[in-house]
Every structure is written in C-alpha cells, then in structure tokens.
Amino acid sequence: MLITCYYGNGPELGYIYLKEPTEDEFDDFDRGKNEIANFVNPTQIKIPYVSDAKLASYLDRMTIAANTFKADHEIGYNTEYGNDMDEEGYIIGIELTLDHERFIDLVKNQVFKVIKTEWRNKKFHVVTFDHAGNVFKPENVIYKLTNEEDTFIIVQLKSPENLGMHYLDENEQKRPVALFKALISAREHIYPLEYLMQPQFYLLKNTSLQFIDNNLICEVDALRFWNAIPKEKRDHILNNVFCGNCLDVVRIVDCSIYNDANGLLLRGKCNKCGNSVAQVIERE
Ligand SMILES: [Zn+2]
C-alpha cells in the first residue's frame, strides 16, 4: 500500500492510496524524491501481517452506523478533505492532515498493519492507520461502505474545534469530522492483500513553484538559473524537446522546471500527442 506525506511549505498532507495509483497519479519522478530512508532504518519499513481472533470483540464494542459511509457524508459527519470513492462507494484513497513527524513515527512503529480476523462469521482483513489504542476505541464508529456489508471502515469522530477547523455555517460547525482509522475488508479484488502488504511509504518535500506564464512554472530555487539563460535560447529549449511517442522534436507544454543534480529538469507534455516528455539542461 502506498502512503505519501508532503512536508515543507504549507500544510503537511498525507494520502493513503487504498487502490494502487496509476503512473499518471504517482510516477517515477515522485518515487525518486522519497526521503523516508533518511529518517527510518530501511529494515523497519514493513507492513506486518498478523492474525488476531480477539479483534471481533473490540469491533463489537463500537457503534455501527446505520447508513453507508457514502450516504452519511455531510449528514452524520464531514471529512477533512473529502473522500475519493468509486461509484459504488468503495473508498479508493484518503487525503488527510499528516505532519511529517507523525508519519515518521507511524512508519517506525509499524502502525500500518494487516490483521487477519473473523467477524460476524466472515473472514476479514483489518488494515490499521493509527496505533491500536486509537483504532480500537469503543467510542469509534464503524461504517459499512456499501449494503453488501463486505467492507467497513473505522472512523474516529472529532469535533471541528478540536481539529482547529472553523466553518461559517453553525450546523457544519456542530457536525463531527471523521478521521479514518482502519479498513475492514473481505473484498479481495478491490483491496488485494498483495498490494496492501507492500510497504510503499513516501516522505516528500514540497517545493515552492513560481508561475512564469500560462504554460510554465518553475521551482523557486531553479528560477535564477533559468532566467540566466538568454530568452532566445530558452524559447529554443522549450520548442525542441524529444517526444518518445511522436518520435520527433516537439514543443513542451504545461512545463514545470526543477533543479536537478546536473542542471535543470523540464517536465511537461508534448504539444502534439499529450504524452509526458522531459528534458535535462546541463549546467555549463
Ligand atoms: Zn508527442
């Protein structure tokens, strides 16, 4: 399972991909920037698989919501950033507030676990996203994702004040915020065990980007180098990027410029076919 945490500028956000992201959503460039190994010993990076027959008794102590999670959204609870769900109501991914110190602590302590258990005469895998003491609290609430009752989630309901969130609407301010604590799944083909067990933890630094024009953004640290290139040469660079799909030299659009070990890295799209293209400009 892939979990990201972005730190640096602005709010520190995490994203839990319950479904494996496509190359477009999270690509090799993002993967190459991972800093987790600077903070956690690689031998500690794993998702333990354990069996726990007693878990059902903890689940039975929690409240089970009558509605599905999808149906209760903005009725029984709000979310921090909204839920990414498929059409049926199965959650694909969760965006959450996650500061990098907490993320490092969670990874180090192997809080992300897959627990095999039996509940309501059915075999489930419980995937936890917090310390067990916070996941299996009797005050937490279990929601079914669909009426199939083959997948559930455990949420902790917190008041917006406690999370420092302020709504203008009085009713909104009273509605609790659901914090995602665990997935309880018997739906192997949506949540395959093989994917859930792969520890892919990414700690990534936010870079500040500056808008140059409609087509071009540049990392602040790279701006000086980019601007030092004569205007004509810059235009020439943007108009002469090789596209592996067109097998031709094309113009790069939606281009982002980053600092790179060798100089500058341009990433964007081919103006003809829309394929991803990239180009390194070496420092002279
Ligand atoms: Zn192309």
Side-chain angles (χ1 to χ4, degrees):
M1 158 176 62
L2 194 146
I3 303 176
T4 58
C5 171
Y6 285 87
Y7 79 106
N9 306 309
E12 304 205 335
L13 295 180
Y15 195 90
I16 300 169
Y17 292 87
L18 290 178
K19 195 180 157 200
E20 190 152 26
T22 64
E23 189 68 10
D24 274 353
E25 291 167 318
F26 196 75
D27 63 15
D28 289 345
F29 176 71
D30 299 306
R31 288 174 193 270
K33 293 190 298 181
N34 194 6
E35 296 181 12
I36 193 74
N38 301 344
F39 299 90
V40 182
N41 185 325
T43 59
Q44 290 176 297
I45 299 177
K46 54 180 151 189
I47 296 178
Y49 183 68
V50 292
S51 194
D52 189 344
K54 293 188 311 262
L55 218 58
S57 66
Y58 293 107
L59 300 179
D60 286 335
R61 269 189 268 164
M62 294 177 205
T63 304
I64 300 191
N67 284 331
T68 64
F69 192 56
K70 190 177 181 176
D72 226 18
H73 183 217
E74 293 182 333
I75 296 170
Y77 70 89
N78 280 329
T79 53
E80 286 185 289
Y81 299 100
N83 304 302
D84 293 317
M85 290 181 182
D86 70 8
E87 282 173 10
E88 289 177 90
Y90 290 101
I91 298 182
I92 296 164
I94 301 124
E95 190 169 13
L96 68 159
T97 300
L98 182 61
D99 76 57
H100 71 283
E101 278 152 356
R102 176 148 183 271
F103 181 61
I104 291 165
D105 166 79
L106 296 177
V107 172
K108 244 185 209 166
N109 288 294
Q110 293 165 8
V111 156
F112 306 112
K113 281 186 176 60
V114 178
I115 309 166
K116 190 174 133 190
T117 196
E118 213 176 291
W119 182 48
R120 301 168 146 196
N121 302 314
K122 213 184 228 176
K123 284 189 171 60
F124 284 97
H125 284 121
V126 179
V127 188
T128 58
F129 300 99
D130 201 345
H131 294 275
N134 296 328
V135 176
F136 300 108
K137 273 186 185 170
E139 316 77 283
N140 287 351
V141 176
I142 297 178
Y143 271 101
K144 59 187 173 189
L145 292 187
T146 68
N147 286 321
E148 299 272 319
E149 306 207 358
D150 55 7
T151 309
F152 301 80
I153 57 166
I154 300 175
V155 296
Q156 181 183 16
L157 297 177
K158 271 204 164 181
S159 73
E161 292 95 73
N162 280 344
L163 297 167
M165 293 166 77
H166 298 282
Y167 294 95
L168 290 174
D169 186 290
E170 205 177 299
N171 291 327
E172 294 266 342
Q173 190 64 25
K174 279 186 209 145
R175 195 176 295 147
V177 175
L179 302 178
F180 194 86
K181 297 291 153 185
L183 174 80
I184 306 171
S185 163
R187 198 72 190 247
E188 177 82 16
H189 81 269
I190 295 182
Y191 305 108
L193 190 59
E194 198 192 323
Y195 170 67
L196 295 175
M197 300 275 308
Q198 281 170 25
Q200 304 183 53
F201 303 133
Y202 285 85
L203 179 65
L204 302 156
K205 195 168 199 160
N206 276 323
T207 45
S208 346
L209 296 169
Q210 185 160 324
F211 185 82
I212 298 178
D213 64 37
N214 272 334
N215 189 36
L216 203 60
I217 53 173
C218 185
E219 207 175 55
V220 168
D221 297 347
L223 203 58
R224 213 173 7 147
F225 181 24
W226 176 249
N227 285 334
I229 302 171
K231 170 90 173 80
E232 272 169 38
K233 197 171 169 199
R234 276 183 267 153
D235 288 341
H236 181 81
I237 291 167
L238 296 173
N239 282 313
N240 290 278
V241 174
F242 185 76
C243 173
N245 187 42
C246 297
L247 297 176
D248 199 1
V249 170
V250 299
R251 175 168 171 80
I252 186 170
V253 293
D254 295 334
C255 177
S256 308
I257 303 169
Y258 300 91
N259 248 328
D260 179 84
N262 302 312
L264 293 179
L265 170 66
L266 272 56
R267 301 178 81 227
K269 294 201 162 83
C270 164
N271 71 327
K272 287 185 186 156
C273 72
N275 221 47
S276 297
V277 292
Q279 169 100 27
V280 173
I281 304 161
E282 283 180 27
R283 248 176 257 274
E284 283 164 8

